[in-house]
């Protein structure tokens, strides 16, 4: 529930502000204490909360799957083994149906993307005041707990996928084939400038659309939870529970979409038809 000594706009701004570490000319390297200080830190500032939760959830994913792999049994499996096997089979089926090349990296990459993004999205179901209030009692001014509501995180993942697209495009097609794909399609050699503009925009749009789709959906969901927290307690219960149930679908769907688009883009990078 929102505190009574702040306005609604201050409450929303506080919950949407990252814990930022950066450089201020007058004060040197420090953690921002206000949104104005965070903004003044510029491009090289680091969002400590996004980094912490994304890395921690990545480690949690690795630990859970490693634990399941070490304790695997052919007898009656436990809950963890059942869950991991279900996830592996689901991702493996998705890759086999969508990816038309041969690359042993794609399935593990898809599994990592889906589970990691799902865990980061799942943080959206933590009550909006719980961790920020706990952080404030420890002297930490801001605490944004959903990494995928930070465009730096979603862009970082999508740019990594973009580099893989470029790498495999050149590896499979060669530099000449990759350049030819960008300059000779779809209208042939007489329209090279137009082809390059068209294909270049399409190529760059892939990581941008990946990042903004995930960011926009989770940011909107988090904002709705924050707005619900501003309402009286009885309204919070009747609105937050249905929205949380619906939002579970969004959490899973956005992780699935990011994974599937990654598989599709890498499949296109492996196609060598020319």
């Amino acid at each position: 529930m929102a505190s009574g000594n702040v306005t609604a706009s201050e409450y929303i701004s506080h919950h949407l502000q990252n814990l930022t570490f950066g450089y201020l000319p007058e004060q040197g390297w420090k953690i921002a204490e206000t949104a104005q200080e965070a903004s003044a830190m510029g491009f090289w500032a680091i969002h400590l909360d996004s980094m912490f939760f994304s890395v921690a959830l990545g480690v949690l994913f690795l630990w859970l799957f490693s634990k399941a792999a070490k304790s695997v049994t052919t007898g009656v499996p436990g809950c963890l083994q059942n869950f991991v096997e279900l996830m592996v089979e689901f991702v493996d089926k998705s890759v086999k149906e969508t990816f038309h090349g041969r690359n042993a990296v794609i399935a593990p990459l898809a599994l990592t993307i889906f589970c990691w993004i799902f865990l980061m999205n799942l943080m959206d179901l933590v009550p909006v005041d719980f961790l920020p209030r706990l952080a404030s009692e420890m002297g930490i001014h801001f605490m944004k707990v959903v990494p995928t509501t930070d465009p730096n995180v979603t862009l970082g993942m999508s740019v990594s996928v973009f580099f893989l697209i470029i790498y495999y495009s050149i590896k499979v097609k060669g530099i000449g084939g990759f350049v030819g794909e960008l300059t000779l399609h779809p209208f042939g050699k007489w329209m090279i400038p137009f082809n390059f503009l068209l294909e270049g925009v399409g190529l760059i749009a892939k990581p941008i659309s990946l990042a903004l789709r995930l960011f926009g959906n989770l940011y909107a969901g988090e904002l709705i939870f924050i707005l619900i927290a501003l309402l009286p307690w009885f309204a919070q219960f009747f609105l937050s529970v249905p929205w949380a149930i619906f939002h579970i679908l969004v959490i899973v769907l956005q992780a699935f979409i990011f994974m599937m688009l990654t598989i599709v883009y890498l499949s296109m990078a492996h196609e060598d038809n020319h």
Side-chain angles (χ1 to χ4, degrees):
M1 180 180 293
S3 177
N5 59 354
V6 296
T7 66
S9 61
E10 290 173 340
Y11 177 79
I12 294 171
S13 298
H14 176 271
H15 279 61
L16 294 178
Q17 175 62 48
N18 287 99
L19 179 64
T20 307
F21 175 79
Y23 181 79
L24 291 174
E26 304 84 5
Q27 305 178 52
W29 293 94
K30 60 169 294 187
I31 295 176
E33 298 180 4
T34 65
Q36 291 74 21
E37 284 188 354
S39 178
M41 288 176 175
F43 178 79
W44 294 109
I46 299 174
H47 290 170
L48 298 178
D49 43 9
S50 295
M51 292 291 293
F52 172 78
F53 286 110
S54 59
V55 171
L57 292 170
V59 171
L60 175 63
F61 157 71
L62 294 174
W63 176 76
L64 284 174
F65 276 66
S66 175
K67 181 179 179 182
K70 291 177 180 178
S71 60
V72 66
T73 177
T74 56
V76 179
C79 294
L80 179 60
Q81 182 177 333
N82 279 328
F83 172 75
V84 170
E85 288 180 353
L86 178 66
M87 294 303 302
V88 171
E89 290 175 4
F90 165 71
V91 172
D92 185 60
K93 181 180 178 182
S94 299
V95 172
K96 287 179 178 178
E97 292 177 349
T98 309
F99 185 76
H100 305 300
R102 297 188 65 180
N103 192 328
V105 173
I106 304 302
L109 175 66
L111 179 65
T112 301
I113 287 174
F114 180 79
C115 294
W116 195 19
I117 292 178
F118 171 77
L119 288 173
M120 289 191 286
N121 292 351
L122 192 65
M123 295 297 290
D124 216 2
L125 298 181
V126 177
V128 294
D129 283 332
F130 176 65
L131 290 177
R133 182 171 296 175
L134 185 64
S136 67
E137 292 177 356
M138 299 170 60
I140 300 174
H141 298 282
F142 303 105
M143 183 60 66
K144 196 174 177 185
V145 300
V146 187
T148 43
T149 60
D150 185 346
N152 296 286
V153 172
T154 58
L155 278 168
M157 291 188 293
S158 64
V159 168
S160 299
V161 172
F162 178 72
F163 286 145
L164 287 175
I165 294 171
I166 300 298
Y167 171 75
Y168 284 115
S169 293
I170 295 175
K171 181 179 180 180
V172 173
K173 305 166 188 177
I175 295 179
F178 178 59
V179 172
E181 189 176 69
L182 291 178
T183 56
L184 300 178
H185 297 167
F187 300 116
K189 62 182 180 179
W190 305 110
M191 297 284 285
I192 286 179
F194 182 75
N195 292 336
F196 180 72
L197 177 63
L198 195 65
E199 292 294 324
V201 169
L203 182 64
I204 295 172
K206 290 177 181 178
I208 296 175
S209 63
L210 268 180
L212 295 185
R213 181 185 293 106
L214 178 60
F215 162 72
N217 280 277
L218 271 296
Y219 186 87
E222 178 71 1
L223 184 58
I224 291 176
F225 277 122
I226 293 172
L227 293 174
I228 291 174
L230 289 167
L231 300 174
W233 66 269
F234 54 87
Q236 290 184 39
F237 176 79
F238 287 107
L239 291 176
S240 61
V241 173
W243 176 246
I245 294 172
F246 171 77
H247 200 56
I248 292 173
L249 300 176
V250 177
I251 288 169
V252 178
L253 183 61
Q254 290 305 313
F256 175 74
I257 290 174
F258 198 105
M259 178 193 75
M260 288 303 299
L261 288 177
T262 298
I263 297 171
V264 169
Y265 292 156
L266 290 175
S267 179
M268 293 169 62
H270 281 74
E271 293 175 358
D272 186 17
N273 300 324
H274 307 283

